[in-house]
Amino acid sequence: MQTVDVLVVGAGLAGLHTARLLARHELNVMVVDRRRSLSAGIRTTGIFVRRTLEDFDLPDHLLGPGVRDVLLYPPSRRDPIRLTSDRDEYRVADMPGVYEHARRAAESAGARVVLGVRYDGSSAGVVRLEGAEPVRARFIVGADGARSRVARDLGLDVNHRLIVGAELVHTIASGTTTPAFHCVLDPRVAPGYLGWVIDDGHHAHVGVAGYPDAMRAGVRHLLEEFGADAPGHADPTGPVERRGGPIPVGGVLRRLANPAGLLVGDAAGAVSPLTAGGLDPCLRMSELAQSVAAGWLRTGDQHELRRYDGQALRGRFRGRLLLRRVLAGVRSHAAAEAAVAALRGRAGRAAAARVLFGDGSFPDTDPLLARPVVNRYAAS
């Protein structure tokens, strides 16, 4: 049976970024993913916000043109609120390309990425794999999505507050539209969340998301209904790709790590509870996760694990958790119309701009990353 220092389950952006950083610590890192191709089963829109673009080195050739305009629509779709930034606030990525770039970076750092292998459980450090021989791992990183099997096997917290989203992605005729992000508050098609169209001038992403218990017609049917007359939706000029999956919106989980492993990305609830954006959080949490895991494996000091503190992160965005509950409560046409009307004034527009263009969608992990670790032997 082969032995590795770290087994990362899931080759999404969180898993691959964590694997690359851990491999740079000269640890023996292996990544497994049930998909045979990283271009299959994509569940994210691929929208990167300005803060991520400023703080992380993402390949520019894989990012679409900048988007500065956001239009907020009531259910009637009439008279949207237009918010315009003086900077590029969003860029939509070629996610298959981003995943492949992250894979190459992880492998260049020394990690081994194995596709077509399904995680089948773990106990006492032995990981069962469907499609490969078992592996003995000193530490397991769960990057296996919102309904993480690793979290359950390690006895860590699991996501319970989820919305489900679905999206159509296709090319459009270049130069026929102005890049913009259209957001529709309509509980008939997106109960508790939004319908959206984001167009970067080359591709259109059309999606809906909401609480599944309120989507009586099913998310796929609602997506088709929304896409038929979605504002800003240009006709496709090529094949239409479908994406979708669960999105955790309950905030970062409290218990994220123990001596056997830890969670990153959606598995950790590392998604902005209000906007449901997960790409920025997964990168920031991965930076902290790799520091904690490497420190624990190097020293065996459990104070290292305590730095990966979900409770400390949750405490820094109580306001967004509150706004998530408010948005979840908008379940009627009249309530949605009133909510958009409330944003038309100066104060409402300022609040909307702060959410859409601000830097606080997810708490910064730097203070936890830099927190000194108390040496238990010195303390005694």
Side-chain angles (χ1 to χ4, degrees), residues 28-188:
N28 183 353
V29 180
M30 179 178 178
V31 183
V32 297
D33 195 290
R34 62 182 178 80
R35 296 174 294 165
R36 296 187 179 278
S37 168
L38 295 184
S39 63
I42 294 175
R43 295 187 171 185
T44 177
T45 298
I47 301 173
F48 284 94
V49 298
R50 173 175 48 80
R51 186 181 179 214
T52 318
L53 299 169
E54 291 173 348
D55 292 351
F56 294 93
D57 185 19
L58 296 167
D60 190 74
H61 70 283
L62 296 175
L63 298 169
V67 177
R68 299 188 176 195
D69 290 324
V70 176
L71 289 87
L72 302 175
Y73 296 80
S76 65
R77 315 290 204 272
R78 293 193 295 268
D79 192 19
I81 301 169
R82 179 182 288 270
L83 301 171
T84 302
S85 174
D86 58 0
R87 300 176 288 187
D88 292 342
E89 295 290 346
Y90 304 98
R91 295 181 72 180
V92 185
D94 167 11
M95 288 309 297
V98 169
Y99 287 142
E100 188 56 39
H101 176 85
R103 174 187 179 175
R104 290 196 301 268
E107 290 177 331
S108 295
R112 186 155 59 99
V113 180
V114 183
L115 302 181
V117 172
R118 183 187 297 272
Y119 171 84
D120 194 36
S122 62
S123 61
V126 176
V127 181
R128 301 183 303 277
L129 301 172
E130 184 180 316
E133 294 298 317
V135 173
R136 186 177 300 279
R138 294 175 61 198
F139 201 73
I140 302 172
V141 173
D144 53 334
R147 297 191 176 105
S148 172
R149 170 78 182 275
V150 173
R152 298 180 188 279
D153 289 348
L154 296 183
L156 298 172
D157 285 353
V158 297
N159 294 297
H160 292 294
R161 297 181 182 177
L162 300 165
I163 60 175
V164 62
E167 185 179 62
L168 304 174
V169 182
H170 58 77
T171 57
I172 59 174
S174 182
T176 60
T177 61
T178 301
F181 194 175
H182 304 265
C183 300
V184 181
L185 184 62
D186 186 348
R188 295 170 299 186

Side-chain angles (χ1 to χ4, degrees), residues 288-312:
L288 177 59
Q290 64 85 24
S291 174
V292 167
W296 160 246
L297 291 171
R298 183 179 64 252
T299 67
D301 189 340
Q302 292 202 28
H303 283 90
E304 288 278 1
L305 297 175
R306 292 171 192 162
R307 288 196 294 138
Y308 203 57
D309 186 354
Q311 186 62 39

